[in-house]
Amino acid sequence: MRKYEQMAFPSLNIVRGLAQNVRDLDKVLINQGRMLAAGYSDKHFEQLQDAEFQIFSQWGEDGIIQYLTQNLKIEHKTFVEFGVETFREANCRFLMMKDFWAGMVIDGSAASIARIEQAQMYWRHALTAVEAFISRDNIAELIARAPFDGIGILSVDIDGVDYFILEALKDVRAAIVIVEYNGLFGATAKVSVPYSADFQRTKAHHSNLYYGASIAAFDHLLAPRGYALVGGNAAGNNAFFVRTDLLTDKIRPVSVGSAFRATSFAEGRDENGKLSFVRGMSRRAVVADLPLVDVATGQQLRVADLPAT
């Protein structure tokens, strides 16, 4: 037993040391973010992507969110974000830790939710984590569980049937809506993968390229609900919409064409699961025969039928 203890305790100390290093790194990152975001309320960026910086977001969304929240009159300092995995890399984590916004996150993985609930940030901040595989039939009820009234930011990123999930939230009036779009579908077509309650990107096609909806589809959905597209990120996968009653001289509507960016990353996989590094519109050939639906007309089409832009 004594020999076992001698072996086990050093390992435990290493784990504790690593955990402390992570917490210390978070402090450094948050303070760095504070410096980067300082004065954003006094700045005017011509393009939303010019505000970008990255602390916990996948790309530059942390900076964009800081610019928007510092220059819009948002009543509810709350967020709902789904498709977060362990919430280590997410759109709203920096906002929560720097500005103490309250939030609810949803993910379909029990292991991911357990990791969130065991993290220090879970007891230090007003965060609620919900385990659920999201569908258009349950998303409204899931959001109704949020322990707050009103939503400041709604962030949608499930790499699947995102359009139909957002379509089901017709009564949600968040100040800001962030959506991940699939740049492979181009800037003009209003298309989505067809709805399937059990859609999973990794199972839908080995390439991991077949998922989601176009930026024009999201604009088609949100514009009649009183939202204006105000920009996108430089990496070419996230679009930002703001309620029209909150727009200012600094946060203004832009066209879909100006917000769209060609996808900068090459995340496609071959049949063996290895990165294929196929880029740009060349990715369409990989999924050419897979079905899409035009959300404006209901027409069924294939990826190969999409216009060149």
Side-chain angles (χ1 to χ4, degrees), residues 159-161 182 184-185 193-194 196 198-212 267-276 278 282-292 302-304:
D159 293 341
V161 288
N182 190 337
L184 180 148
F185 299 150
V193 298
S196 172
D198 60 352
F199 185 95
Q200 295 184 50
R201 176 182 180 180
T202 54
K203 295 181 179 179
H205 193 263
H206 70 264
S207 67
N208 257 6
L209 297 173
Y210 178 68
Y211 67 93
E267 60 182 344
R269 304 274 174 172
D270 62 22
E271 293 183 354
N272 297 314
K274 295 182 179 180
L275 286 169
S276 62
V278 61
S282 298
R283 295 172 297 164
R284 287 186 179 178
V286 181
V287 292
D289 292 327
L290 294 180
L292 297 173
R302 301 174 307 149
V303 173

Short mmCIF file of all heavy atoms in Angstrom, two decimals, residues 159-161 182 184-185 193-194 196 198-212 267-276 278 282-292 302-304:
data_model
loop_
_atom_site.label_atom_id
_atom_site.label_comp_id
_atom_site.label_asym_id
_atom_site.label_seq_id
_atom_site.Cartn_x
_atom_site.Cartn_y
_atom_site.Cartn_z
N ASP A 159 -23.41 22.42 -36.28
CA ASP A 159 -22.84 21.74 -37.45
C ASP A 159 -23.83 20.75 -38.06
O ASP A 159 -23.46 19.63 -38.43
CB ASP A 159 -21.56 20.99 -37.08
CG ASP A 159 -20.43 21.91 -36.69
OD1 ASP A 159 -20.49 23.10 -37.04
OD2 ASP A 159 -19.48 21.45 -36.03
N GLY A 160 -25.07 21.17 -38.15
CA GLY A 160 -26.07 20.24 -38.67
C GLY A 160 -27.22 20.96 -39.32
O GLY A 160 -27.05 21.67 -40.31
N VAL A 161 -28.40 20.78 -38.74
CA VAL A 161 -29.61 21.39 -39.31
C VAL A 161 -29.89 22.71 -38.59
O VAL A 161 -31.01 22.99 -38.16
CB VAL A 161 -30.80 20.42 -39.21
CG1 VAL A 161 -30.64 19.28 -40.18
CG2 VAL A 161 -30.96 19.88 -37.78
N ASN A 182 -22.23 27.69 -43.69
CA ASN A 182 -21.33 26.84 -44.46
C ASN A 182 -20.92 27.57 -45.73
O ASN A 182 -21.72 27.73 -46.66
CB ASN A 182 -22.02 25.51 -44.80
CG ASN A 182 -21.05 24.48 -45.38
OD1 ASN A 182 -20.01 24.85 -45.92
ND2 ASN A 182 -21.38 23.21 -45.25
N LEU A 184 -19.16 26.73 -48.11
CA LEU A 184 -19.14 25.91 -49.32
C LEU A 184 -20.36 26.18 -50.20
O LEU A 184 -20.30 26.02 -51.42
CB LEU A 184 -19.10 24.43 -48.90
CG LEU A 184 -19.07 23.35 -49.98
CD1 LEU A 184 -18.28 22.13 -49.47
CD2 LEU A 184 -20.47 22.88 -50.37
N PHE A 185 -21.45 26.62 -49.59
CA PHE A 185 -22.69 26.87 -50.34
C PHE A 185 -22.71 28.22 -51.03
O PHE A 185 -23.67 28.55 -51.74
CB PHE A 185 -23.90 26.75 -49.42
CG PHE A 185 -24.06 25.40 -48.76
CD1 PHE A 185 -24.64 25.27 -47.51
CD2 PHE A 185 -23.62 24.24 -49.40
CE1 PHE A 185 -24.79 24.02 -46.91
CE2 PHE A 185 -23.75 22.99 -48.81
CZ PHE A 185 -24.34 22.88 -47.56
N VAL A 193 -28.94 21.96 -45.72
CA VAL A 193 -29.12 20.52 -45.79
C VAL A 193 -30.57 20.24 -45.37
O VAL A 193 -31.13 20.98 -44.56
CB VAL A 193 -28.13 19.76 -44.88
CG1 VAL A 193 -26.70 20.03 -45.30
CG2 VAL A 193 -28.33 20.13 -43.41
N PRO A 194 -31.21 19.22 -45.91
CA PRO A 194 -32.59 18.92 -45.51
C PRO A 194 -32.67 18.57 -44.04
O PRO A 194 -31.71 18.06 -43.45
CB PRO A 194 -32.96 17.72 -46.40
CG PRO A 194 -31.99 17.75 -47.52
CD PRO A 194 -30.73 18.32 -46.97
N SER A 196 -33.32 16.64 -40.72
CA SER A 196 -33.39 15.29 -40.19
C SER A 196 -33.15 15.41 -38.69
O SER A 196 -32.16 16.01 -38.26
CB SER A 196 -32.32 14.38 -40.82
OG SER A 196 -32.28 13.13 -40.16
N ASP A 198 -32.13 13.40 -36.56
CA ASP A 198 -30.93 12.74 -36.05
C ASP A 198 -29.68 13.07 -36.87
O ASP A 198 -28.71 12.32 -36.86
CB ASP A 198 -31.13 11.22 -36.00
CG ASP A 198 -31.41 10.62 -37.38
OD1 ASP A 198 -31.61 11.40 -38.34
OD2 ASP A 198 -31.45 9.37 -37.49
N PHE A 199 -29.71 14.22 -37.56
CA PHE A 199 -28.57 14.60 -38.41
C PHE A 199 -27.29 14.74 -37.57
O PHE A 199 -27.28 15.41 -36.54
CB PHE A 199 -28.84 15.92 -39.12
CG PHE A 199 -27.76 16.31 -40.10
CD1 PHE A 199 -27.87 16.00 -41.43
CD2 PHE A 199 -26.60 16.98 -39.68
CE1 PHE A 199 -26.87 16.34 -42.35
CE2 PHE A 199 -25.60 17.32 -40.57
CZ PHE A 199 -25.74 17.00 -41.91
N GLN A 200 -26.23 14.10 -38.03
CA GLN A 200 -24.91 14.25 -37.44
C GLN A 200 -23.90 14.44 -38.56
O GLN A 200 -23.83 13.61 -39.48
CB GLN A 200 -24.53 13.05 -36.58
CG GLN A 200 -25.40 12.87 -35.35
CD GLN A 200 -24.94 11.72 -34.49
OE1 GLN A 200 -23.76 11.62 -34.14
NE2 GLN A 200 -25.87 10.84 -34.12
N ARG A 201 -23.17 15.50 -38.49
CA ARG A 201 -22.25 15.87 -39.56
C ARG A 201 -21.27 14.75 -39.90
O ARG A 201 -21.02 14.46 -41.07
CB ARG A 201 -21.49 17.13 -39.13
CG ARG A 201 -20.42 17.60 -40.07
CD ARG A 201 -19.73 18.82 -39.48
NE ARG A 201 -18.68 19.34 -40.33
CZ ARG A 201 -17.93 20.40 -40.02
NH1 ARG A 201 -18.15 21.04 -38.89
NH2 ARG A 201 -17.00 20.83 -40.84
N THR A 202 -20.72 14.12 -38.88
CA THR A 202 -19.70 13.09 -39.12
C THR A 202 -20.27 11.85 -39.78
O THR A 202 -19.54 11.09 -40.42
CB THR A 202 -19.01 12.70 -37.80
OG1 THR A 202 -20.01 12.32 -36.85
CG2 THR A 202 -18.20 13.87 -37.24
N LYS A 203 -21.59 11.64 -39.61
CA LYS A 203 -22.23 10.48 -40.22
C LYS A 203 -22.87 10.80 -41.56
O LYS A 203 -23.10 9.90 -42.37
CB LYS A 203 -23.28 9.89 -39.26
CG LYS A 203 -22.69 9.33 -37.98
CD LYS A 203 -23.77 8.76 -37.09
CE LYS A 203 -23.18 8.16 -35.81
NZ LYS A 203 -24.24 7.61 -34.92
N ALA A 204 -23.19 12.07 -41.78
CA ALA A 204 -23.86 12.46 -43.01
C ALA A 204 -22.97 12.25 -44.23
O ALA A 204 -23.44 11.86 -45.30
CB ALA A 204 -24.30 13.92 -42.93
N HIS A 205 -21.68 12.50 -44.07
CA HIS A 205 -20.71 12.27 -45.14
C HIS A 205 -19.31 12.24 -44.55
O HIS A 205 -19.01 13.03 -43.65
CB HIS A 205 -20.79 13.35 -46.23
CG HIS A 205 -20.07 13.00 -47.49
ND1 HIS A 205 -18.79 13.44 -47.75
CD2 HIS A 205 -20.43 12.22 -48.56
CE1 HIS A 205 -18.40 12.98 -48.93
NE2 HIS A 205 -19.38 12.24 -49.44
N HIS A 206 -18.48 11.36 -45.05
CA HIS A 206 -17.15 11.19 -44.46
C HIS A 206 -16.32 12.47 -44.51
O HIS A 206 -15.42 12.67 -43.69
CB HIS A 206 -16.39 10.07 -45.17
CG HIS A 206 -15.97 10.42 -46.58
ND1 HIS A 206 -16.70 10.06 -47.71
CD2 HIS A 206 -14.90 11.12 -47.05
CE1 HIS A 206 -16.10 10.51 -48.79
NE2 HIS A 206 -15.01 11.17 -48.42
N SER A 207 -16.60 13.35 -45.45
CA SER A 207 -15.78 14.55 -45.65
C SER A 207 -15.94 15.58 -44.55
O SER A 207 -15.10 16.47 -44.39
CB SER A 207 -16.13 15.21 -46.98
OG SER A 207 -17.46 15.74 -46.93
N ASN A 208 -17.05 15.52 -43.79
CA ASN A 208 -17.36 16.54 -42.78
C ASN A 208 -17.68 17.90 -43.40
O ASN A 208 -17.74 18.91 -42.69
CB ASN A 208 -16.22 16.71 -41.77
CG ASN A 208 -16.52 16.04 -40.44
OD1 ASN A 208 -17.53 15.36 -40.30
ND2 ASN A 208 -15.65 16.22 -39.48
N LEU A 209 -17.89 17.94 -44.70
CA LEU A 209 -18.16 19.20 -45.39
C LEU A 209 -19.65 19.46 -45.59
O LEU A 209 -20.05 20.58 -45.94
CB LEU A 209 -17.47 19.20 -46.76
CG LEU A 209 -15.94 19.12 -46.76
CD1 LEU A 209 -15.41 18.96 -48.18
CD2 LEU A 209 -15.34 20.35 -46.10
N TYR A 210 -20.44 18.45 -45.38
CA TYR A 210 -21.88 18.53 -45.67
C TYR A 210 -22.65 18.77 -44.38
O TYR A 210 -22.88 17.86 -43.59
CB TYR A 210 -22.31 17.23 -46.34
CG TYR A 210 -23.79 17.14 -46.67
CD1 TYR A 210 -24.36 17.96 -47.65
CD2 TYR A 210 -24.59 16.21 -46.03
CE1 TYR A 210 -25.70 17.86 -47.96
CE2 TYR A 210 -25.95 16.10 -46.34
CZ TYR A 210 -26.50 16.92 -47.30
OH TYR A 210 -27.83 16.82 -47.61
N TYR A 211 -23.06 20.02 -44.18
CA TYR A 211 -23.77 20.40 -42.95
C TYR A 211 -24.28 21.83 -43.10
O TYR A 211 -23.82 22.60 -43.94
CB TYR A 211 -22.84 20.33 -41.73
CG TYR A 211 -21.74 21.37 -41.77
CD1 TYR A 211 -21.89 22.61 -41.16
CD2 TYR A 211 -20.55 21.13 -42.46
CE1 TYR A 211 -20.90 23.57 -41.22
CE2 TYR A 211 -19.55 22.09 -42.54
CZ TYR A 211 -19.73 23.30 -41.92
OH TYR A 211 -18.74 24.26 -42.00
N GLY A 212 -25.22 22.20 -42.25
CA GLY A 212 -25.58 23.59 -42.08
C GLY A 212 -26.31 24.24 -43.24
O GLY A 212 -26.97 23.59 -44.06
N GLU A 267 -10.94 21.88 -43.66
CA GLU A 267 -11.26 20.87 -42.64
C GLU A 267 -11.79 19.57 -43.22
O GLU A 267 -12.17 18.66 -42.47
CB GLU A 267 -12.29 21.44 -41.66
CG GLU A 267 -13.59 21.85 -42.33
CD GLU A 267 -14.59 22.45 -41.37
OE1 GLU A 267 -14.43 22.28 -40.14
OE2 GLU A 267 -15.55 23.09 -41.85
N GLY A 268 -11.83 19.47 -44.54
CA GLY A 268 -12.36 18.28 -45.18
C GLY A 268 -11.53 17.03 -44.88
O GLY A 268 -10.32 17.10 -44.65
N ARG A 269 -12.20 15.88 -44.88
CA ARG A 269 -11.56 14.60 -44.58
C ARG A 269 -11.72 13.64 -45.76
O ARG A 269 -12.69 13.71 -46.51
CB ARG A 269 -12.20 13.96 -43.34
CG ARG A 269 -12.17 14.86 -42.11
CD ARG A 269 -10.90 14.72 -41.35
NE ARG A 269 -10.81 15.67 -40.24
CZ ARG A 269 -9.85 15.63 -39.33
NH1 ARG A 269 -8.92 14.69 -39.37
NH2 ARG A 269 -9.81 16.54 -38.35
N ASP A 270 -10.73 12.73 -45.90
CA ASP A 270 -10.88 11.69 -46.90
C ASP A 270 -11.62 10.50 -46.29
O ASP A 270 -12.04 10.55 -45.13
CB ASP A 270 -9.52 11.28 -47.47
CG ASP A 270 -8.58 10.69 -46.42
OD1 ASP A 270 -9.07 10.21 -45.37
OD2 ASP A 270 -7.36 10.71 -46.64
N GLU A 271 -11.76 9.43 -47.04
CA GLU A 271 -12.54 8.29 -46.57
C GLU A 271 -11.89 7.57 -45.41
O GLU A 271 -12.53 6.77 -44.73
CB GLU A 271 -12.79 7.32 -47.72
CG GLU A 271 -13.70 7.90 -48.81
CD GLU A 271 -14.00 6.92 -49.92
OE1 GLU A 271 -13.40 5.82 -49.90
OE2 GLU A 271 -14.81 7.24 -50.79
N ASN A 272 -10.62 7.86 -45.16
CA ASN A 272 -9.91 7.26 -44.03
C ASN A 272 -9.90 8.18 -42.81
O ASN A 272 -9.26 7.86 -41.80
CB ASN A 272 -8.47 6.92 -44.42
CG ASN A 272 -8.42 5.87 -45.52
OD1 ASN A 272 -9.13 4.86 -45.46
ND2 ASN A 272 -7.60 6.12 -46.54
N GLY A 273 -10.60 9.31 -42.93
CA GLY A 273 -10.68 10.23 -41.80
C GLY A 273 -9.52 11.20 -41.69
O GLY A 273 -9.43 11.95 -40.71
N LYS A 274 -8.64 11.21 -42.67
CA LYS A 274 -7.49 12.11 -42.64
C LYS A 274 -7.83 13.41 -43.36
O LYS A 274 -8.62 13.42 -44.31
CB LYS A 274 -6.28 11.45 -43.29
CG LYS A 274 -5.77 10.23 -42.55
CD LYS A 274 -4.53 9.66 -43.24
CE LYS A 274 -3.99 8.45 -42.49
NZ LYS A 274 -2.79 7.88 -43.16
N LEU A 275 -7.22 14.50 -42.93
CA LEU A 275 -7.44 15.78 -43.58
C LEU A 275 -7.06 15.70 -45.05
O LEU A 275 -5.97 15.22 -45.40
CB LEU A 275 -6.62 16.88 -42.90
CG LEU A 275 -7.14 17.35 -41.53
CD1 LEU A 275 -6.11 18.22 -40.84
CD2 LEU A 275 -8.46 18.10 -41.67
N SER A 276 -7.95 16.16 -45.91
CA SER A 276 -7.70 16.11 -47.36
C SER A 276 -7.15 17.42 -47.89
O SER A 276 -6.62 17.47 -48.99
CB SER A 276 -9.00 15.78 -48.09
OG SER A 276 -9.97 16.80 -47.86
N VAL A 278 -8.61 19.88 -49.13
CA VAL A 278 -9.31 20.45 -50.27
C VAL A 278 -9.87 21.80 -49.84
O VAL A 278 -10.40 21.96 -48.74
CB VAL A 278 -10.42 19.50 -50.76
CG1 VAL A 278 -11.47 19.24 -49.68
CG2 VAL A 278 -11.09 20.04 -52.02
N SER A 282 -13.59 23.93 -54.67
CA SER A 282 -13.22 22.56 -55.04
C SER A 282 -13.86 21.56 -54.10
O SER A 282 -14.04 20.38 -54.44
CB SER A 282 -11.70 22.39 -55.00
OG SER A 282 -11.07 23.25 -55.93
N ARG A 283 -14.25 22.01 -52.92
CA ARG A 283 -14.90 21.13 -51.95
C ARG A 283 -16.25 20.63 -52.45
O ARG A 283 -16.73 19.57 -52.04
CB ARG A 283 -15.09 21.87 -50.62
CG ARG A 283 -13.80 22.26 -49.93
CD ARG A 283 -14.09 23.16 -48.74
NE ARG A 283 -14.69 24.42 -49.17
CZ ARG A 283 -15.32 25.26 -48.35
NH1 ARG A 283 -15.45 24.96 -47.07
NH2 ARG A 283 -15.83 26.39 -48.81
N ARG A 284 -16.87 21.39 -53.33
CA ARG A 284 -18.21 21.00 -53.81
C ARG A 284 -18.18 19.67 -54.55
O ARG A 284 -19.15 18.90 -54.50
CB ARG A 284 -18.79 22.08 -54.71
CG ARG A 284 -19.23 23.32 -53.96
CD ARG A 284 -19.93 24.28 -54.90
NE ARG A 284 -20.40 25.48 -54.22
CZ ARG A 284 -21.00 26.49 -54.81
NH1 ARG A 284 -21.21 26.45 -56.13
NH2 ARG A 284 -21.38 27.55 -54.12
N ALA A 285 -17.08 19.40 -55.24
CA ALA A 285 -17.00 18.15 -56.00
C ALA A 285 -17.07 16.93 -55.09
O ALA A 285 -17.56 15.87 -55.50
CB ALA A 285 -15.70 18.12 -56.81
N VAL A 286 -16.62 17.09 -53.86
CA VAL A 286 -16.60 15.97 -52.91
C VAL A 286 -18.01 15.59 -52.49
O VAL A 286 -18.30 14.41 -52.23
CB VAL A 286 -15.76 16.35 -51.67
CG1 VAL A 286 -15.71 15.20 -50.67
CG2 VAL A 286 -14.35 16.77 -52.08
N VAL A 287 -18.91 16.57 -52.43
CA VAL A 287 -20.28 16.32 -51.95
C VAL A 287 -21.30 16.69 -53.02
O VAL A 287 -22.46 16.99 -52.72
CB VAL A 287 -20.55 17.12 -50.65
CG1 VAL A 287 -19.71 16.58 -49.51
CG2 VAL A 287 -20.27 18.62 -50.85
N ALA A 288 -20.90 16.64 -54.27
CA ALA A 288 -21.69 17.17 -55.38
C ALA A 288 -23.10 16.60 -55.46
O ALA A 288 -24.06 17.32 -55.79
CB ALA A 288 -20.96 16.94 -56.70
N ASP A 289 -23.27 15.33 -55.18
CA ASP A 289 -24.56 14.68 -55.38
C ASP A 289 -25.46 14.70 -54.15
O ASP A 289 -26.58 14.16 -54.18
CB ASP A 289 -24.35 13.23 -55.82
CG ASP A 289 -23.73 13.13 -57.21
OD1 ASP A 289 -24.03 14.02 -58.04
OD2 ASP A 289 -22.97 12.19 -57.45
N LEU A 290 -25.03 15.33 -53.09
CA LEU A 290 -25.82 15.34 -51.86
C LEU A 290 -26.92 16.40 -51.94
O LEU A 290 -26.75 17.45 -52.54
CB LEU A 290 -24.92 15.59 -50.66
CG LEU A 290 -23.90 14.46 -50.38
CD1 LEU A 290 -23.05 14.79 -49.16
CD2 LEU A 290 -24.61 13.13 -50.18
N PRO A 291 -28.06 16.12 -51.30
CA PRO A 291 -29.23 16.99 -51.47
C PRO A 291 -29.19 18.25 -50.61
O PRO A 291 -28.63 18.27 -49.52
CB PRO A 291 -30.39 16.08 -51.04
CG PRO A 291 -29.77 15.16 -50.03
CD PRO A 291 -28.36 14.91 -50.53
N LEU A 292 -29.85 19.28 -51.13
CA LEU A 292 -30.07 20.53 -50.42
C LEU A 292 -31.51 20.94 -50.63
O LEU A 292 -32.19 20.45 -51.52
CB LEU A 292 -29.14 21.64 -50.95
CG LEU A 292 -27.64 21.45 -50.78
CD1 LEU A 292 -26.88 22.56 -51.51
CD2 LEU A 292 -27.25 21.44 -49.31
N ARG A 302 -29.24 19.71 -55.63
CA ARG A 302 -28.01 19.07 -55.17
C ARG A 302 -26.93 20.14 -55.02
O ARG A 302 -27.04 21.25 -55.55
CB ARG A 302 -27.54 18.03 -56.18
CG ARG A 302 -28.51 16.91 -56.49
CD ARG A 302 -27.95 16.05 -57.62
NE ARG A 302 -27.61 16.89 -58.77
CZ ARG A 302 -26.61 16.64 -59.63
NH1 ARG A 302 -25.86 15.57 -59.46
NH2 ARG A 302 -26.37 17.44 -60.65
N VAL A 303 -25.88 19.80 -54.32
CA VAL A 303 -24.76 20.72 -54.17
C VAL A 303 -24.23 21.13 -55.54
O VAL A 303 -23.86 22.29 -55.76
CB VAL A 303 -23.65 20.10 -53.30
CG1 VAL A 303 -22.41 20.99 -53.28
CG2 VAL A 303 -24.15 19.84 -51.88
N ALA A 304 -24.18 20.19 -56.47
CA ALA A 304 -23.66 20.48 -57.81
C ALA A 304 -24.51 21.50 -58.56
O ALA A 304 -24.03 22.12 -59.53
CB ALA A 304 -23.60 19.19 -58.62
#
